[in-house]
């Protein structure tokens, strides 16, 4: 199959679009960045792409809750197009604000039985930027096909994932759909701050829909594509390998389409 | 109808805003106990029903999982039970982005909403008599917010009245001196009598009186803030005339150095230097002191927003790649009951300014990577807020021009009454009345509007759609158009400016300092393409008029001429200011050092000092990695908590060439000797950048002078001395100044007593790193490595942190030896480039002892050190001096034993010595220092030292 084509969707206030496009390029995909207004005018353009990414930022200022306005616009203007895209095997990834958008427009958790979910204010009550360790659960989502833990940065004020019905979280976990969990120094899922930076239930950092093809995560894989991005590269040196952990997520999606 | 949509946390969710208020009430010294529950919400006005508002709430305005809501009509019925209810909402005209978003969304959903305002409501249980103080100290900032205690009685949101045009002429020709002074004062023009007389003479020549818009334009252009009349004027310095201090010191050094990598210095919104074959970088640091004193959040928010616009408006537009922030405040544990009237508590100031930078910088998607905190009680009534932005631009885009016939195009935010009189306000002293007088001078930012402007400018630049650009800062359109058209002339039709609300006069439109606006010169043939690009990105663009060829500034309102000034008079007509200055520096008294002893407790105290302690609480609230450029983070070490000397970013994707960003500031030295202070903070800024791997031959500097009133000869005298130090050090280090700014009149007058800030010079540096893979950080890396100290220690305790915690006076202020300093920087850079250095930390406040402790706990290792081998001169023959003296140009290095010979060869000619080695990691790791006599002078657990260092700002 040809090189996968990725659409990186930006809205007013999106601010991680350039590094997200760069990560896709490094992973071997062809990426184009589109303003959401342009896609709303030409929804059929989605047919040209195999992967859609909603990058991080503060879409429309996040003044009404993170991702809420963009989610409303997408659901109203692109609902059908996004469903078609998903049904024909397209992959969707939302990073940070993009995850908030996917959760708020109902694409995540994505199954009617799941009920609504949200990303609420961090338990710490404030925006925080720090690095976390993540435990993967491979096998369900093409984005997470590896089983070694990852180091990635988070930077958000609203990242505490929870479902309206607490049983919903258990069900997601049993289905293996909490594909990334915040982990402690011994690589066990944790509720302890700051290893779990926001108090997310069941240490959920990244979740997927029942097909695995819609994936949202709070950490920023596009910010760790080179070993130099790691906060301890001056200590760890060559132990970090030749590329950043975040690339595995992008590569997983590209490989799944090949 | 007016509806109140009240949104509160669901019963199983934390009420973090309520908890925060209760905690801040206790911290503010208000007798409790307090129990507070908080809710957020919106006031929505228009012909819509309760069902409409409920439908919108359920669909989008409220989170269905973690929030609950109710909708009630206004005015509300009285009676809410035993708890008092306090509602807080922005005053009319204050920027309210949340409400704007809600309004837009309601309209999208098809509801007939006409106006909206965000609101926070608190149900408060606590001592009723203390409620007014709670409202004032914690719940609301009366400069920008309105607080209503009890039921909401309002029935509509005032949105201004239509404006009826009346041309206002000021009869200046007939005024005597008293009347001239009164006119300046009443109009908040901040013009001196000599200046008013010059204006009067000019209009007598013209045979007419000026309009209010003309007078405002002159006042703004001639303000200290915009024209820097003190530093560019004449100064009688103890009998010697200094003609233009800036030109003869700071500019002169840059000119004399004549370096081929400088592109544009002191002429644009930011200084520009060459970075590589394809790109230039620019850097600017601004202050926003007086607005931050009144509204810390809004002040720093618009401070960072403003300096980002400086970078956007540099050359033909640069892409901002990182921000910096430095705050000077009074001690955050200042006793609340000793606060003077009208002064906000320093903890509230610090929390507010941090939140302001956080919310703007994070939303802009620009990493905030470097900063500092300087704490001194003299900043109580007049805190300082410095914000900086680095931008990158393709080579060949550094210069702009304006051609007659180009359209004057404004883009971005709309114009309101925001900040009317900001330029002149920042040039006067603060008083306890300032809040009431100048509330309108405070603005709130709207970062997303600016982010959209950024997106447009970079695309338009790359398509060549405009010829010149500048930001609307202090003075608004008046300053932006006045500067851009200085060589050509301009005709402006003021009624074209889009307004936030009706009722603005032509003069208010002209001088408004509403945020997020830029002005461009667009050739008429490019206007359609530019307009279409803006429409696609959702940015409002307006044609305000055209640049002319007549050398005049012509203002029109609906066809009537309301201003007609000669550009020449405006920019060259100001009478020279002549001020007297005298050197206030006194010979220091000798300091009496205590006998040698165990100094472990001193070290612990130093680590807990506000200036030294961990700034993690601040740093982690900033996104310091967005854009994926930050390769040396502000926090480093085994647990990513250690205090890095400088951050390093990658301006160009795909290249390993980096840019180190650092700063230096020290008000304690400033109080004693402004010359030595300036030299030391330049050394500190350069040192920090070289410590991580920057090439000392590629370091560019920025100056920000914050001083008290220049009308006091001693204050101005210390400024002259600091500027001379800038010239001397820039020449000696070959580190050119590329941009700068001064902020004078940083004084706080209260009941006849004047509190002046200490002479405060912030030096910011950008240093180029040839290959970031060679960068080093300050944390110790392994057990058994050698610890090497580079540079000479002298007994220099004047203004030192150790003298402060010991309550000792006297002693020499640290003095830079420029020749030795430069040799040290060069040798160290060769060593780092060769890979000989495992870690490197500069010595600054608290001297060797603090540097050792920081490197040890950041890396998680211990260290054993003997002072006997520390390179020193004769008078430093004491343990206290070797541990705590703050002599500049010194570094602490860690080197692997096998690399030592290579390091020693590279450092030949520079004073250095091995003073110890790193020891085992783990919970038992200790820092052990033996004194000159062989006795133990420090024996401390590194974990305990880290706790002392982290405690003060662990909020």
């Amino acid at each position: 199959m040809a090189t996968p084509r990725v659409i990186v969707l930006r809205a007013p206030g999106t601010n991680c679009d350039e590094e997200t496009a760069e990560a896709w390029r490094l992973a071997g995909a062809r990426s184009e960045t589109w303003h959401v207004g342009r896609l709303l005018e030409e929804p059929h353009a989605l047919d040209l792409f195999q992967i859609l990414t909603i990058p991080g930022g503060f879409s429309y200022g996040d003044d009404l809750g993170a991702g809420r306005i963009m989610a409303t616009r997408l659901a109203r203007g692109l609902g059908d197009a996004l469903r078609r895209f998903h049904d024909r095997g397209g992959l969707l990834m939302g990073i940070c604000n993009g995850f908030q958008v996917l959760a708020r427009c109902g694409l995540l958790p994505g199954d009617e039985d799941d009920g609504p979910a949200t990303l609420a204010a961090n338990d710490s009550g404030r925006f925080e930027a720090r690095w976390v360790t993540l435990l993967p659960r491979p096998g369900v989502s093409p984005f997470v096909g590896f089983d070694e833990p990852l180091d990635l940065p988070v930077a958000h004020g609203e990242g505490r994932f929870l479902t309206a019905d607490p049983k919903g979280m258990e069900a997601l976990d049993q289905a293996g759909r909490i594909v990334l969990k915040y982990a402690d120094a011994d690589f066990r899922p944790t509720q302890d701050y700051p290893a779990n930076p926001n108090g997310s239930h069941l240490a959920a950092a990244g979740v997927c829909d029942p097909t695995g093809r819609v994936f949202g995560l709070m950490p920023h894989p596009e910010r760790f594509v080179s070993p130099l991005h790691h906060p301890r590269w001056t200590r760890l040196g060559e132990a970090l390998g030749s590329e950043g952990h975040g690339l595995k997520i992008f590569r997983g999606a590209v490989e799944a389409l090949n | 109808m007016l509806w109140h949509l009240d949104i509160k946390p669901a019963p199983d969710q934390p009420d973090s805003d309520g908890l925060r208020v209760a905690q801040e009430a206790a911290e503010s010294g208000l007798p409790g106990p307090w129990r507070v529950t908080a809710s957020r919400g919106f006031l929505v006005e228009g012909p819509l029903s309760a069902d409409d508002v409920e439908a919108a709430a359920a669909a989008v305005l409220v989170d269905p999982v973690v929030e609950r809501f109710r909708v009630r009509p206004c005015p509300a019925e009285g009676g809410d039970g035993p708890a008092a209810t306090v509602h807080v909402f922005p005053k009319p005209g204050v920027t309210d982005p949340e409400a704007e978003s809600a309004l837009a969304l309601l309209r999208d959903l098809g509801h007939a909403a006409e106006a909206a305002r965000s609101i926070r409501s608190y149900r408060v249980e606590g001592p009723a008599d203390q409620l007014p103080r709670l409202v004032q100290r914690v719940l609301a900032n009366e400069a920008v917010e309105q607080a209503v205690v009890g039921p909401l009685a309002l029935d509509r949101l005032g949105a201004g009245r239509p404006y009826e045009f009346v041309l206002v002429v000021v009869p200046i020709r007939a005024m005597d001196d008293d009347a001239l002074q009164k006119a300046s004062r009443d109009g908040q023009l901040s013009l001196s009598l000599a200046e008013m007389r010059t204006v009067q003479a000019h209009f007598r020549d013209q045979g007419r009186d000026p309009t209010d818009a003309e007078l405002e334009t002159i006042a703004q252009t001639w303000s200290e803030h915009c024209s820097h009349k003190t530093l560019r004027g004449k100064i009688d310095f103890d009998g010697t005339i200094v003609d233009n201090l800036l030109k003869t010191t700071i500019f002169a050094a840059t000119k004399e150095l004549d370096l081929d990598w400088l592109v544009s210095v002191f002429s644009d919104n930011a200084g520009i230097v060459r970075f590589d074959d394809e790109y230039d970088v620019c850097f600017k640091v601004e202050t926003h002191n007086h607005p931050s004193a009144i509204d810390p959040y809004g002040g720093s928010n618009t401070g960072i927003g403003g300096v980002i616009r400086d970078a956007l408006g540099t050359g033909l537009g640069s892409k901002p790649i990182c921000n910096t922030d430095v705050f000077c405040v009074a001690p955050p544990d200042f006793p609340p009951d000793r606060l003077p009237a009208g002064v906000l508590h320093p903890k509230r100031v610090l929390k507010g300014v941090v939140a302001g930078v956080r919310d703007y910088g994070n939303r802009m998607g620009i990493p905030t990577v470097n900063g500092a905190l300087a704490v001194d009680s003299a900043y109580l009534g007049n805190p300082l807020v410095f914000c900086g932005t680095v931008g990158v631009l393709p080579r060949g885009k550094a210069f702009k021009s304006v051609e007659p016939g180009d359209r004057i195009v404004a883009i971005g935010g709309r114009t309101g009454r925001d900040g009317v009189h900001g330029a002149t306000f920042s040039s006067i002293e603060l008083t306890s009345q300032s809040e009431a007088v100048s509330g309108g001078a405070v603005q709130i930012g709207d970062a997303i509007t600016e982010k959209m402007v950024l997106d447009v400018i970079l695309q338009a630049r790359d398509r060549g759609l405009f010829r010149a650009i500048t930001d609307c800062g202090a003075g608004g359109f008046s300053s932006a158009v006045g500067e851009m058209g200085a060589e050509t002339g301009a005709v402006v039709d003021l009624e074209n400016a889009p307004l936030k609300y009706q009722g603005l006069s032509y003069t208010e439109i002209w001088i408004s300092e509403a945020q997020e606006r830029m002005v461009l010169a667009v050739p008429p043939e490019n206007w359609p393409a530019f307009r279409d690009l803006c429409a696609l990105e959702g940015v409002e663009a307006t044609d305000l008029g055209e640049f002319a060829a007549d050398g005049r500034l012509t203002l029109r309102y609906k066809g009537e001429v309301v201003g007609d000034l000669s550009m020449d008079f405006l920019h060259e007509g100001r009478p020279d200011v002549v001020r007297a200055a005298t050197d206030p520096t006194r010979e220091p008294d000798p300091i009496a050092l205590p006998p040698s002893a165990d100094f472990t407790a001193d070290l612990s105290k130093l680590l807990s000092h506000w200036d030294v302690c961990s700034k993690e609480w601040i740093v982690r609230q900033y996104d310091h990695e967005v854009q994926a450029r930050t390769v040396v983070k502000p926090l480093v070490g085994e647990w990513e908590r250690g205090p890095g000397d400088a951050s390093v970013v990658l301006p160009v994707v795909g290249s390993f060439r980096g840019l180190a960003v650092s700063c230096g500031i020290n008000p304690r030295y400033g109080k004693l000797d402004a010359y030595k202070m300036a030299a030391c903070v330049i050394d500190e800024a350069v040192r920090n950048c070289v410590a991580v791997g920057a090439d000392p031959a590629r370091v560019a500097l920025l100056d920000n002078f914050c001083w008290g009133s220049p009308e006091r000869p001693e204050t101005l005298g210390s400024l002259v001395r600091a500027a001379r130090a800038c010239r001397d050090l820039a020449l000696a280090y070959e580190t050119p100044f590329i941009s700068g700014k001064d902020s004078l009149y940083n004084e706080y007058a209260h009941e006849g007593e004047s509190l002046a800030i200490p002479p405060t010079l912030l030096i910011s540096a950008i240093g180029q790193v040839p290959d970031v893979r060679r960068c080093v950080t300050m944390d110790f890396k392994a057990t058994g490595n050698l610890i090497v100290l580079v540079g000479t220690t002298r007994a220099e305790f004047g203004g030192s942190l150790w003298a402060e915690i010991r309550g000792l006076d006297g002693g020499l202020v640290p003095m830079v030896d420029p020749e030795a300093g430069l040799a040290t920087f060069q040798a160290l850079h060769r060593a780092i480039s060769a890979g000989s250095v495992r870690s490197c930390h500069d010595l600054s406040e608290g001297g060797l002892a603090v540097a050792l402790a920081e490197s040890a706990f950041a890396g998680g290792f211990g260290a054993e050190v003997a002072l006997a081998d520390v390179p020193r001169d004769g008078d430093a023959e004491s343990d206290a001096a070797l541990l705590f003296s703050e002599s500049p140009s010194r570094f602490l290095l860690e080197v692997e034993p096998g690399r030592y010979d290579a390091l020693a060869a590279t450092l030949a000619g520079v004073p250095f010595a091995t003073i110890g080695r790193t020891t085992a990691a783990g919970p038992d790791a200790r820092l052990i220092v033996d004194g000159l006599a062989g006795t133990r002078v420090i024996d401390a657990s590194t974990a305990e030292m880290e706790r002392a260092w982290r405690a003060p700002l662990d909020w």
Side-chain angles (χ1 to χ4, degrees):
Chain A
M1 188 178 158
T3 311
R5 291 185 66 179
V6 181
I7 179 169
V8 174
L9 201 53
R10 76 179 169 94
T14 298
N15 61 32
C16 303
D17 44 318
E18 290 185 12
E19 53 271 40
T20 301
E22 172 68 8
W24 281 117
R25 194 188 66 76
L26 291 172
R30 270 169 65 199
S31 130
E32 283 177 39
T33 303
W34 280 49
H35 193 285
V36 67
R38 187 175 156 206
L39 190 62
L40 284 166
E41 280 173 15
E42 321 169 29
H44 285 286
L46 266 186
D47 296 342
L48 302 171
F49 300 95
Q50 290 82 51
I51 301 173
L52 180 144
T53 315
I54 306 176
F58 292 79
S59 50
Y60 299 95
D62 275 0
D63 293 318
L64 305 179
R68 191 165 297 280
I69 298 179
M70 186 167 178
T72 307
R73 299 244 150 104
L74 287 185
R76 286 165 61 85
L78 285 171
D80 291 340
L82 287 172
R83 252 187 305 281
R84 273 200 317 274
F85 179 82
H86 182 237
D87 289 346
R88 68 173 170 80
L91 303 183
L92 289 94
M93 171 160 66
I95 303 169
C96 195
N97 192 250
F99 182 16
Q100 292 158 338
V101 170
L102 292 179
R104 282 173 176 159
C105 68
L107 284 164
L108 282 175
D111 193 49
E112 275 182 22
D113 296 343
D114 294 332
T118 195
L119 289 144
N122 296 351
D123 273 347
S124 67
R126 59 175 178 252
F127 181 101
E128 282 197 18
R130 60 169 70 250
W131 280 65
V132 294
T133 300
L134 298 163
L135 193 66
R137 166 82 183 251
V140 179
S141 172
F143 291 95
V144 181
F146 46 87
D147 49 17
E148 318 84 51
L150 303 178
D151 289 346
L152 290 180
V154 293
H156 60 253
E158 298 174 41
R160 180 166 53 98
F161 185 79
L162 73 162
T163 50
D165 177 359
K167 290 196 194 101
M169 289 298 289
E170 309 276 341
L172 279 181
D173 198 19
Q174 274 156 24
R177 287 164 56 197
I178 305 180
V179 291
L180 290 175
K181 291 187 176 188
Y182 299 111
D184 61 18
D186 300 319
F187 306 117
R188 288 176 311 213
T190 184
Q191 293 305 118
D192 292 344
Y193 176 85
N196 178 335
N198 47 40
S200 205
H201 288 210
L202 298 180
V207 299
C208 66
D209 78 335
T211 69
R213 297 200 304 272
V214 185
F215 171 52
L217 76 169
M218 288 314 297
H220 286 275
E222 79 284 9
R223 295 189 188 177
F224 186 22
V225 299
S226 154
L228 294 170
H229 287 132
H230 196 279
R232 281 175 283 132
W233 70 265
T234 61
R235 302 178 70 78
L236 298 169
E238 293 181 355
L240 278 170
S242 60
E243 64 179 37
H245 296 172
L247 265 188
K248 289 180 187 175
I249 287 171
F250 297 93
R251 286 199 196 285
V254 171
E255 280 159 19
L257 291 170
N258 274 324
Chain B
M1 265 313 284
L2 181 63
W3 299 100
H4 178 196
L5 166 62
D6 188 55
I7 307 167
K8 60 181 184 181
D12 59 342
Q13 292 297 314
D15 175 10
S16 50
D17 200 26
L19 295 172
R20 174 190 63 83
V21 167
Q23 187 198 346
E24 286 182 7
E27 287 171 3
S28 304
L30 297 177
W34 297 99
R35 213 175 141 262
V36 182
T37 53
S39 57
R40 65 183 189 99
F42 296 96
L43 297 170
V44 181
E45 185 175 5
L48 70 179
S49 68
D51 286 349
D52 292 340
V53 181
E54 285 185 10
V60 287
L61 294 173
V62 178
D63 188 306
V65 180
V66 294
E67 290 179 325
R68 301 290 179 263
F69 71 93
R70 59 182 182 176
V71 176
R72 297 206 294 188
C74 283
E77 318 269 303
D80 258 347
T85 304
V86 182
H87 304 280
V88 181
F89 46 94
K91 285 184 172 172
V94 170
T95 302
D96 186 357
E98 281 177 52
E100 291 301 317
S101 289
L103 192 60
L105 204 59
L106 283 162
R107 287 173 179 163
D108 263 14
L109 296 172
H111 299 302
E114 284 166 356
R117 195 157 299 159
S118 66
I119 181 168
R120 290 173 289 126
S121 306
Y122 302 94
R123 291 168 59 82
V124 180
E125 290 172 51
D129 60 326
Q130 296 292 328
L131 190 65
R133 294 171 76 199
L134 181 78
V135 171
Q136 190 221 338
R137 287 195 192 172
V138 180
L139 296 181
N141 184 336
E142 284 161 8
V144 287
E145 291 170 327
Q146 198 165 331
V148 173
V149 179
L152 274 172
L154 69 172
D155 59 359
R156 62 195 165 80
L157 302 171
R161 288 197 196 93
Y163 168 65
E164 281 175 33
F165 174 74
V166 187
L167 184 67
V168 178
V169 174
V170 184
I172 188 174
R173 285 180 298 170
M175 289 181 182
D176 62 11
D177 284 356
D178 286 348
L180 286 173
Q181 282 177 302
K182 186 171 185 309
S184 171
R185 200 170 47 242
D186 292 353
Q188 290 188 45
L189 300 175
S190 299
L191 289 172
S192 70
L193 179 59
E195 289 164 342
M196 286 298 282
R197 282 183 183 150
T198 305
V199 176
Q200 186 181 48
H202 176 76
F203 282 95
R204 280 179 176 158
D205 286 351
Q206 306 281 306
R208 66 179 178 96
D209 279 315
T211 67
D212 55 343
E214 288 172 328
L215 211 47
E216 293 277 6
T217 305
I218 295 166
Q220 178 278 125
T221 309
W222 292 4
S223 69
E224 186 68 66
H225 187 89
C226 295
S227 77
H228 305 276
K229 53 196 173 196
T230 299
L231 269 63
R232 290 172 193 262
K234 284 195 172 65
I235 298 173
D236 178 342
F237 183 58
D238 287 332
T240 311
I241 297 294
V242 180
D243 190 358
N244 195 330
L245 182 64
L246 278 181
K247 202 171 163 187
T248 53
T249 57
I250 291 168
F251 300 176
T254 299
K255 207 171 161 200
E256 194 178 328
L257 286 170
D258 192 26
L259 299 162
D260 65 358
W261 48 279
L262 300 181
V263 177
S264 162
V265 292
F266 294 107
S267 58
D268 205 334
N269 289 316
I272 309 177
V273 301
R274 196 176 71 223
F275 181 69
D276 64 11
D277 291 343
E278 290 174 68
Y279 291 93
D280 294 331
V281 291
C282 66
F283 192 16
K284 174 64 171 286
V285 175
E286 272 279 12
T287 52
H288 222 212
N289 304 334
H290 287 184
S292 301
I294 290 171
D295 177 19
Y297 181 85
S300 76
N301 194 251
T302 52
I304 192 81
V307 79
I308 293 168
R309 284 196 302 283
D310 275 327
L312 282 177
T314 294
L316 292 171
S318 76
K319 178 181 169 63
I321 57 168
C322 66
N323 291 333
T324 65
D325 66 337
V326 173
F327 306 127
C328 298
V329 297
D333 53 358
F334 191 87
D337 52 1
R338 281 178 41 210
L339 269 189
V343 167
L344 297 175
H345 191 273
K347 186 165 183 177
R348 188 169 177 193
V349 171
L350 184 57
K351 284 187 167 181
V353 294
V354 169
V357 170
R358 174 194 68 201
D359 286 354
Y360 211 103
N362 291 353
R363 277 180 165 71
M364 286 300 292
I366 303 168
T368 301
V369 301
N370 183 259
L373 178 66
V375 172
D376 192 289
S377 343
Y379 296 119
L380 188 59
N382 197 134
L384 304 180
V385 170
F386 302 85
C387 298
T389 299
V390 177
V392 60
L393 62 166
R395 293 196 68 189
K397 300 281 187 186
F399 297 98
K400 47 192 150 206
S401 64
V402 169
E403 300 285 330
D406 285 351
R407 304 310 303 171
I408 301 171
V409 174
I411 63 168
R414 294 187 152 216
T415 299
R417 273 197 195 88
D418 324 46
V420 168
H421 282 134
T424 51
F425 165 62
S426 63
S427 305
I428 56 177
E429 270 182 42
L430 288 172
T431 69
S432 55
Q433 302 300 312
S434 298
E435 197 179 297
V437 175
S438 315
V442 179
Q443 313 123 59
I444 306 283
D446 178 8
I448 294 315
T449 299
E450 188 151 309
K451 174 68 167 72
M452 292 158 74
V453 165
L454 184 165
D455 293 343
V456 161
I457 288 172
L458 296 181
Q459 293 177 61
R461 175 196 72 189
D462 293 343
R463 289 170 58 186
L465 295 181
F466 59 89
R467 242 194 292 265
I469 180 169
T470 199
D471 69 305
C472 281
F477 288 141
S478 160
S479 161
V481 177
E483 277 173 30
M484 285 175 89
E487 307 293 323
T488 53
V491 181
V492 183
D493 290 306
L494 291 165
E495 74 277 8
N496 288 355
L499 304 181
K500 292 182 178 180
Y501 38 83
Q502 52 185 353
L504 270 72
S505 73
Y506 59 88
T507 300
E508 286 173 318
I509 294 170
W510 181 234
I511 65 170
S512 160
E513 298 185 357
Q515 297 289 305
E516 290 91 28
R517 300 177 304 164
M518 304 286 292
V519 176
L520 299 94
V522 178
E525 63 273 21
N526 291 345
W527 168 234
F530 184 81
R531 194 183 46 205
D532 291 350
L533 171 64
C534 288
L536 193 71
E537 296 281 339
V539 170
E540 196 161 22
T542 312
D543 183 338
L544 288 183
E546 74 175 20
F547 290 103
D550 60 358
R552 299 196 71 80
L553 177 60
T554 309
L555 307 179
R556 296 189 300 219
Y557 186 81
K558 296 191 175 166
E560 300 246 14
V561 172
V562 296
D564 178 16
L565 288 167
S566 118
M567 286 288 190
D568 185 57
F569 175 68
L570 192 57
H571 292 284
E572 307 297 333
R574 177 174 57 73
D576 253 353
V577 174
V578 183
R579 298 203 197 280
T582 187
D583 184 354
T585 317
R586 306 271 167 269
E587 268 307 303
D589 296 324
I591 188 169
L593 293 183
S596 192
D598 187 331
F599 289 108
T600 306
D602 295 61
L603 173 56
S604 180
K605 250 188 189 169
L606 287 169
L607 291 168
S608 294
H609 191 282
W610 295 110
D611 290 25
V612 173
C613 75
S614 169
K615 308 301 182 299
E616 186 171 358
W617 175 81
I618 300 176
V619 174
R620 295 223 179 276
Q621 293 192 61
Y622 301 149
D623 189 342
H624 45 265
E625 311 193 57
V626 59
Q627 302 190 15
R629 301 175 186 277
T630 317
V631 290
V632 174
K633 326 277 183 197
L635 298 170
V636 299
E638 181 64 12
W639 300 282
E640 295 141 37
R641 299 193 294 238
D645 289 327
S647 291
V648 180
V649 295
L650 292 172
V652 180
V653 175
S655 159
F656 288 115
R657 191 170 176 81
L659 199 63
V661 184
S662 65
C663 66
I665 189 166
N666 196 311
R668 276 178 303 276
Y669 302 162
K671 288 179 191 174
L672 300 173
D673 186 328
Y675 183 97
K676 289 183 177 177
M677 176 274 283
C680 281
V681 298
I682 290 169
D683 189 84
E684 182 182 16
V686 177
R687 196 163 82 212
N688 277 323
C689 211
V690 172
V692 297
D695 179 356
R698 282 288 186 283
V699 177
L701 303 179
L702 264 60
D703 63 83
N704 284 86
F705 290 89
C706 286
W707 249 250
S709 168
E711 291 163 34
R712 192 189 299 114
E714 294 78 13
T715 302
L716 188 55
S718 68
L719 183 54
V720 171
R721 284 182 37 87
R724 289 180 171 174
C726 289
R727 174 195 59 201
D728 295 349
L729 267 287
L731 286 173
Y733 281 173
E734 296 182 27
T735 48
F737 282 92
I738 58 167
S739 176
K741 205 74 193 263
D742 56 279
S743 161
L744 308 180
Y745 298 95
N746 286 291
E747 305 229 347
Y748 180 80
H750 177 66
E751 292 175 357
E753 196 188 346
S754 182
L755 296 175
I757 64 156
T760 308
L761 171 64
L762 171 69
I763 297 290
S764 306
I766 42 172
Q768 302 187 17
V769 180
D771 184 341
V772 298
R773 290 168 294 187
R774 290 295 190 197
C775 281
V776 294
T777 51
M778 51 69 68
D779 44 307
F780 285 155
K781 305 293 190 302
T783 304
N785 283 343
L786 302 176
I787 299 172
V788 172
L789 182 60
V790 184
T792 302
T793 302
R794 298 176 292 268
E796 293 177 311
F797 282 108
S800 70
L801 218 51
W802 181 75
E804 183 181 295
I805 62 146
R806 279 275 185 151
L808 298 171
D809 284 326
L812 298 169
V813 176
M815 185 158 88
V816 175
D817 174 348
E819 209 176 309
L822 181 61
T824 304
F825 298 151
Q826 290 169 340
L828 177 63
H829 182 62
R830 285 194 299 273
I832 290 175
S833 302
S836 309
V837 177
R838 201 67 186 93
S839 73
C840 176
H841 193 15
D842 89 308
L843 269 59
S844 56
E845 286 96 335
L848 173 63
V850 165
L852 271 172
E854 289 177 341
S855 290
F857 62 65
F861 293 97
E864 285 176 9
V865 168
L867 297 179
D869 295 326
V870 170
R872 56 186 178 272
D873 72 2
D875 59 358
E877 208 59 35
S878 80
D879 292 330
L882 298 177
L883 286 171
F884 302 117
S885 167
E886 297 182 3
S887 301
S889 314
R890 296 181 301 159
F891 298 90
L892 190 69
L893 311 185
E894 175 194 11
V895 58
E896 289 164 9
R899 296 267 192 168
Y900 177 80
D901 290 343
L903 177 73
T906 314
L907 293 180
V910 168
F912 73 95
T914 301
I915 60 167
R917 57 187 191 84
T918 57
T919 57
D924 302 327
R926 298 189 81 75
L927 172 62
I928 293 171
V929 181
D930 288 337
L932 290 171
T935 54
R936 207 136 277 189
V937 289
I938 287 176
D939 183 355
S941 144
T942 55
E944 274 170 34
M945 286 187 297
E946 188 181 12
R947 268 196 290 281
W949 178 74
R950 296 187 70 198
L953 262 179
D954 189 14
W955 289 351

